Amino acid sequence: MMILRIATAVFLVSLVAMAGEAQPISNARQPIDDVLPGDEAPDLEADSGWIRVELAVLVDDRPQMLESEQWPAYPAPTYPADFRWLIDSEVLDRLQKQHPGADIDIDENGRIRVTLPEPEPAFTVDPTIDLDEEGTPLLDDGLTNTEGAAASTEADEEQAPELVPLEFIDTGTAGEQPADASAEMDPESDSDLLGDEENKGENAPEYVPPPLPTAFMKRPLDLLASGLNALTRSQPDRLALSTAWVQPPESKNPAIVFDGARAPDQWPQLQGFAQLRRGTETRIGVNFWWSTAGDYLPDTFFMTPPPPVPERVEVIAPPPAPASVRFDDDPEVADPDAITGLTLPADRLPSDAEPETITPPVAIAGPLVNGDAGPLWPWRHVIHVADTRSVPEGQVRYFDHPVVKIVATFTELTWGEVYALGAADDERRAAAAALEEQASEFNSHDNPTAPVGDDLQTPPAGLPSRL
């Protein structure tokens, strides 16, 4: 078994090394101040300080593998106090489908806040009021509100004074200009219109750098993709997590929590986090645990469930609809502006009326399976892996373990690579905005065949994975 694990590590390292030969990576680090974009365009081949990190977790939980060793009976995995999430476009797409019309915001740590739209105020009409064919209330004279407005408009037009054509209005000659205005211009002013050659450098447009990529957004694998594809085809390991992201040189390096983009009512089998620590050498710390059915343990075994995944989605519900009151012929309730038989919202209440108390917005954590306790943990045991090791740039760090195997690498990007990613992110945002606007316009019409929910075309969820 140990020989197989060593062969797996050698296989991964050799494939990544072959992929890295196409583009040599320099281990020389530049000061951050020297690589940040300034007033001039940087060399596209120069190091930018941005780094790309790739991480994958493979799992081999076959019964013979789980029974091959004696695992710690009571591991105690925990989440760090300071952490963040990657921005996952699949999660955002799912939330947009679940809450159409809601405002979705992402904070600097990847936490998502969904603010639901306020309900439209409801107006009800007394059934005793006569309505026309279109449902408009009829007034006492038998005219609808629309007809009354049209009659008022016609009366105003009859009383309007006749307009005088503009050519018959005497405008005077105070502001007249010569017919040939160019003859009055100073011939030396041509230099002002054409520009002075000596001032061209001073008036040249300032350098505007291209858009930068979105930091800490989930991306497909690149350097590890071919090696992991070949490995999963030849070995029993299955890929439980594969992700990549880019981050700027000035960013902090908190731990990144991975929850597998789970649904709110599901407990992921793989939990954990990873943290990149940059200093004189770059080190990566991994902390993952895999839940199992515990068939390799006695039937009477019991352990405390591991901590649940921190909730990163917060749904803010709007306040309830405004309270309404019905005005009728009761002499104690009178409003000169109210129409008898109409139900009016609370903001139209008379000053002596007491509107109902409106509760403030509340946060909804999402659907829960076990009441306030959240989803139940459906397993009996966890296998925990925690380690921190150095990762040379452009090389692969393999964390060897019988069940949970972790592969990580990172590389520094050139300015050309950074701007290429930024342009791709910018195009993807523009395409998503265009699709959203198109869908909004389509749904704004009274079209009974308009697609809803999953039938509505949605923006692409990031670049396609090569895995």
Side-chain angles (χ1 to χ4, degrees):
M1 198 67 65
M2 179 63 68
I3 296 177
L4 178 62
R5 283 151 46 189
I6 295 176
T8 300
V10 172
F11 180 73
L12 273 174
V13 172
S14 62
L15 283 179
V16 174
M18 293 172 58
E21 291 177 358
Q23 183 176 356
I25 300 173
S26 173
N27 290 325
R29 309 291 301 182
Q30 292 179 258
I32 291 179
D33 295 338
D34 296 340
V35 297
L36 292 178
D39 297 333
E40 298 181 358
D43 181 6
L44 298 182
E45 298 297 328
D47 292 336
S48 64
W50 284 70
I51 62 172
R52 177 186 180 92
V53 186
E54 299 191 7
L55 179 72
V57 178
L58 301 103
V59 174
D60 182 5
D61 59 350
R62 295 173 298 165
Q64 59 267 34
M65 183 61 66
L66 295 176
E67 296 173 358
S68 63
E69 297 192 23
Q70 185 175 359
W71 313 106
Y74 300 102
T78 58
Y79 285 103
D82 183 22
F83 61 87
R84 64 159 297 137
W85 292 270
L86 294 180
I87 301 173
D88 194 333
S89 56
E90 294 181 0
V91 175
L92 297 178
D93 290 344
R94 185 177 69 230
L95 292 174
Q96 289 175 351
K97 291 181 180 180
Q98 292 177 350
H99 309 286
D103 293 332
I104 301 179
D105 300 316
I106 307 176
D107 67 9
E108 59 181 4
N109 291 324
R111 185 184 299 274
I112 304 173
R113 170 170 291 187
V114 181
T115 304
L116 301 181
E118 296 185 0
E120 297 181 359
F123 291 88
T124 58
V125 180
D126 194 313
T128 61
I129 295 180
D130 295 331
L131 305 176
D132 63 4
E133 296 179 354
E134 298 180 356
T136 305
L138 292 172
L139 303 181
D140 295 338
D141 57 0
L143 298 176
T144 62
N145 293 339
T146 305
E147 294 172 349
S152 176
T153 303
E154 293 177 359
D156 294 339
E157 291 178 354
E158 294 177 357
Q159 299 177 2
E162 184 178 357
L163 297 179
V164 180
L166 183 61
E167 57 268 21
F168 295 109
I169 299 177
D170 184 10
T171 58
T173 59
E176 288 186 358
Q177 296 292 335
D180 188 4
S182 61
E184 301 293 329
M185 296 177 60
D186 185 359
E188 297 182 358
S189 62
D190 292 344
S191 60
D192 297 334
L193 296 177
L194 300 178
D196 192 353
E197 294 293 338
E198 297 179 356
N199 297 331
K200 282 186 177 180
E202 298 179 0
N203 298 330
E206 296 183 358
Y207 166 71
V208 178
L212 296 175
T214 303
F216 295 103
M217 184 177 75
K218 183 180 178 182
R219 301 176 184 272
L221 295 179
D222 184 14
L223 190 61
L224 294 177
S226 59
L228 290 174
N229 275 331
L231 179 63
T232 53
R233 287 194 301 264
S234 61
Q235 302 294 335
D237 303 312
R238 56 191 176 96
L239 198 60
L241 171 67
S242 63
T243 188
W245 69 91
V246 297
Q247 60 185 74
E250 70 274 10
S251 65
K252 298 179 180 179
N253 294 289
I256 299 178
V257 171
F258 301 95
D259 58 4
R262 65 180 181 87
D265 58 347
Q266 296 178 353
W267 195 303
Q269 193 167 6
L270 178 67
Q271 296 177 247
F273 57 92
Q275 184 174 15
L276 196 69
R277 302 170 183 174
R278 304 183 69 182
T280 54
E281 65 175 359
T282 301
R283 300 172 62 83
I284 184 169
V286 295
N287 198 315
F288 287 93
W289 54 95
W290 179 260
S291 296
T292 70
D295 296 335
Y296 47 87
L297 297 170
D299 295 337
T300 57
F301 175 82
F302 172 82
M303 69 166 286
T304 303
V309 175
E311 189 62 54
R312 66 168 161 177
V313 179
E314 182 183 17
V315 180
I316 305 297
S324 60
V325 66
R326 180 185 177 88
F327 292 98
D328 49 23
D329 295 332
D330 188 351
E332 297 182 358
V333 180
D335 185 355
D337 296 331
I339 301 178
T340 302
L342 293 181
T343 301
L344 302 179
D347 56 2
R348 293 283 307 275
L349 291 176
S351 59
D352 57 347
E354 293 292 338
E356 297 181 8
T357 302
I358 298 178
T359 57
V362 295
I364 304 174
L368 301 178
V369 176
N370 190 27
D372 295 337
L376 291 172
W377 185 52
W379 294 281
R380 298 177 59 225
H381 190 242
V382 295
I383 296 178
H384 185 204
V385 178
D387 197 357
T388 300
R389 297 184 185 180
S390 61
V391 184
E393 182 182 351
Q395 299 185 20
V396 173
R397 172 58 66 188
Y398 177 70
F399 295 84
D400 184 28
H401 190 272
V403 176
V404 182
K405 307 170 179 63
I406 303 169
V407 185
T409 187
F410 87 97
T411 182
E412 184 174 356
L413 302 177
T414 64
W415 280 118
E417 294 169 329
V418 169
Y419 290 151
L421 287 175
D425 290 350
D426 200 47
E427 292 178 1
R428 184 166 49 250
R429 284 190 294 267
L435 285 175
E436 185 177 356
E437 182 179 359
Q438 180 182 5
S440 177
E441 293 178 356
F442 185 77
N443 291 332
S444 63
H445 300 288
D446 295 331
N447 187 354
T449 62
V452 295
D454 294 338
D455 296 331
L456 184 64
Q457 187 178 7
T458 56
L463 300 175
S465 176
R466 288 159 54 180
L467 287 180

